[in-house]
């Protein structure tokens, strides 16, 4: 059977060299089909009896649908190339900035939320809730606003012998009240009232904080700080409420060591000292004017009374001024936004405070911001109105105290003035 195209035969091949040929001459190169674009040239007589018309190839594709693979730019053989068929690497998709921003915001909010919750539980766990106001009997009715009894004690707990010498605290056992203040917060701004520790008060009937026994009042007149020395915070609250008629909502106490530690953790407190002060007993040695006090200097400043003309009354004014300045210092962005200062300050403060069992962090924050408000001119600071003294005890002005308490209970603007 003839496998050659029409009009071809083995005889047409002549005696050429090749398969089945006995000739020793090599075969001439075969003529490959020409690939033309567009219309092919008309066929004509050619060697070997003419060539039949071939399929047309346009861009490598035959008219009969046959794809020759030529001239298409297609690369055969698969992998190992440098990209797609156009010779270029595939382009990376444009970044989805909206999605990236959304993910970033969600991440930041989550981190902030977790940090806030963790900080809350950490801080709440550090509060020393030791005072049980449920042991206080025959209490006045609660009025408008909130009343905090803030006490500075002369506790030496946590102080080494070297610290006691450096801070000039002495080495007395136990603890007594070194300062007492009532802070009222409400709708008409905060009011800070100092209660001189030498105030003359009556010890009422009370329930022993440890024994639970009822001790009947006998009309006994003592200095206010004696109530604390006799039966601790619960009797002090009972005595303040009995002699004022003002309901105390929360109790906060801090000792010498804690006070100094808070000031140091805050990086010191700037205060304007109104006069030169030199007191060998407290260790105070200051020049008039603005200056930043560290913990040791701050403790000396708030304890000084012998170098002041008004003695304890002037000292209470200095204590109010310094506590307000401390609150204002801690509330600055340099402290609040700096975790390396904020957490040590919070830790020092929370470790040092003794509060009542119902005191929460939000109550503490309310007290703190109200103290700051006093220094910012949003509130009032004063001493309890006095009418004189007897036997070294300071007598309160009963009429003014009654008016003051009525204004506080009704959460009205305080118009009463004190010494």
């Amino acid at each position: 059977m003839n496998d050659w195209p029409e009009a071809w035969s083995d005889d047409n091949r002549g005696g050429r060299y090749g398969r089945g040929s006995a000739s020793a001459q090599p075969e001439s190169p075969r003529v490959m089909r020409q690939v033309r674009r567009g219309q092919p040239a008309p066929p004509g007589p050619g060697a070997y009896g003419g060539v039949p018309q071939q399929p047309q190839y346009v861009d490598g594709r035959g008219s009969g649908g046959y794809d020759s693979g030529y001239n298409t730019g297609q690369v055969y053989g698969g992998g190992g190339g440098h990209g797609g068929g156009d010779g270029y690497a595939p382009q990376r998709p444009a970044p989805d900035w909206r999605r990236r921003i959304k993910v970033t915001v969600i991440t930041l909010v989550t981190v902030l939320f977790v940090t806030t919750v963790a900080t809350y539980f950490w801080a709440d766990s550090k509060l020393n809730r030791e005072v049980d106001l449920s042991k206080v009997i025959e209490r006045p009715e609660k009025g408008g606003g909130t009343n905090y009894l803030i006490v500075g004690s002369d506790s030496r707990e946590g102080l080494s012998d070297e610290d006691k010498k450096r801070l000039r605290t002495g080495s007395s056992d136990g603890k007594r009240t070194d300062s007492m203040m009532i802070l009222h917060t409400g709708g008409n701004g905060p009011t800070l009232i100092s209660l001189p520790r030498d105030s003359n008060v009556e010890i009422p009937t009370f329930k022993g904080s440890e024994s639970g026994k009822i001790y009947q009042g006998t009309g006994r007149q003592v200095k206010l700080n004696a109530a604390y020395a006799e039966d601790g915070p619960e009797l002090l609250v009972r005595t303040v409420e009995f002699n004022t008629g003002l309901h105390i909502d929360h109790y906060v106490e801090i000792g010498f060591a804690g006070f100094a530690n808070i000031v140091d953790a805050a990086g010191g407190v700037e205060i304007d000292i109104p006069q030169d002060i030199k007191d060998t007993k407290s260790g105070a040695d200051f020049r008039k004017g603005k200056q930043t006090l560290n913990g040791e200097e701050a403790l000396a400043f708030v304890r000084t009374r012998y170098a002041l003309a008004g003695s304890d009354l002037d000292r209470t004014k200095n204590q109010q001024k310094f506590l307000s300045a401390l609150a204002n210092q801690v509330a600055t962005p340099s402290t609040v936004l700096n975790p390396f200062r904020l957490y040590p300050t919070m830790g020092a403060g929370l470790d040092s405070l003794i509060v009542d069992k119902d005191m929460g962090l939000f109550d503490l924050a309310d007290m703190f911001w109200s103290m700051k408000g006093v220094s910012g001119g949003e509130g009032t600071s004063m001493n309890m109105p006095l009418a004189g003294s007897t036997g070294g005890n300071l007598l309160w002005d009963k009429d003014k105290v009654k008016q003051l308490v009525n204004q506080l209970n009704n959460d009205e603007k305080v118009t009463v003035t004190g010494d």
Side-chain angles (χ1 to χ4, degrees), residues 52-230:
Q53 183 174 351
Q54 303 298 310
Q56 297 180 20
Y57 290 87
V58 179
D59 294 332
R61 187 176 297 277
S63 60
Y66 169 76
D67 188 354
S68 67
Y70 287 93
N71 298 322
T72 63
Q74 182 177 352
V75 178
Y76 294 92
H82 295 285
D86 57 1
Y88 294 95
Q91 293 185 355
R92 298 176 62 183
D96 188 346
W97 289 108
R98 183 174 296 179
R99 181 177 179 277
R100 290 187 179 185
I101 293 174
K102 181 179 179 180
V103 171
T104 301
V105 170
I106 292 175
T107 301
L108 291 176
V109 170
T110 301
V111 171
L112 180 61
F113 175 77
V114 172
T115 302
T116 301
V117 171
T119 299
Y120 175 86
F121 284 104
W122 166 77
D124 188 72
S125 67
K126 294 180 76 67
L127 278 178
N128 300 313
R129 297 182 173 94
E130 299 179 6
V131 179
D132 188 356
L133 295 184
S134 67
K135 295 178 180 179
V136 180
I137 61 175
E138 300 178 15
R139 308 190 66 184
E141 291 185 5
K142 178 176 172 54
T146 303
N147 299 311
Y148 300 88
L149 181 59
I150 304 172
V151 175
S153 76
D154 64 359
S155 172
R156 280 82 173 169
E157 184 177 353
L159 293 177
S160 65
D161 291 339
E162 182 179 348
D163 290 334
K164 293 175 183 177
K165 182 177 180 180
R166 176 175 56 86
L167 297 175
R168 300 180 185 234
T169 64
S171 300
S172 300
D173 294 330
K175 57 182 180 180
R176 287 154 292 278
T177 53
D178 203 55
S179 62
M180 289 160 285
M181 304 177 190
I182 294 174
L183 174 66
H184 174 85
T185 65
N188 285 285
T191 301
L192 185 62
I193 308 164
S194 285
L195 309 176
R197 66 178 190 174
D198 292 340
S199 297
N200 189 82
V201 294
E202 179 183 338
I203 297 294
T205 299
F206 69 95
K207 182 179 180 180
S209 59
E210 296 296 333
S211 65
K213 180 181 177 180
I214 299 297
Y215 296 89
Q216 294 295 329
T218 60
R220 180 164 48 106
Q221 304 289 310
V222 298
K223 291 182 178 179
L224 181 58
N225 63 347
Y228 183 97
E230 186 171 335

Side-chain angles (χ1 to χ4, degrees), residues 309-365:
S311 188
D312 199 44
L313 294 180
D314 283 349
R315 181 175 74 156
T316 57
K317 294 176 183 177
N318 284 343
Q319 290 171 345
Q320 291 178 346
K321 185 175 183 179
F322 187 85
L323 290 178
S324 297
L326 174 60
N328 189 66
Q329 174 74 21
V330 174
T332 59
S334 62
T335 298
V336 175
L337 299 180
N338 183 354
F340 297 103
R341 178 170 290 180
L342 175 62
Y343 283 95
T345 303
M346 289 179 61
L350 296 171
D351 279 339
S352 307
L353 296 179
I354 296 175
V355 299
D356 65 90
K357 292 184 180 298
D358 295 326
M359 185 81 160
L361 290 179
F362 291 108
D363 299 312
L364 199 61

Side-chain angles (χ1 to χ4, degrees), residues 22-61:
S23 170
Q25 298 296 325
E27 183 179 17
S28 299
R30 291 182 181 177
V31 178
M32 296 185 65
R33 293 179 297 193
Q34 296 181 356
V35 179
R36 295 178 180 274
R37 300 180 184 274
Q39 296 296 325
Y48 315 109
V51 178
Q53 183 174 351
Q54 303 298 310
Q56 297 180 20
Y57 290 87
V58 179
D59 294 332
R61 187 176 297 277

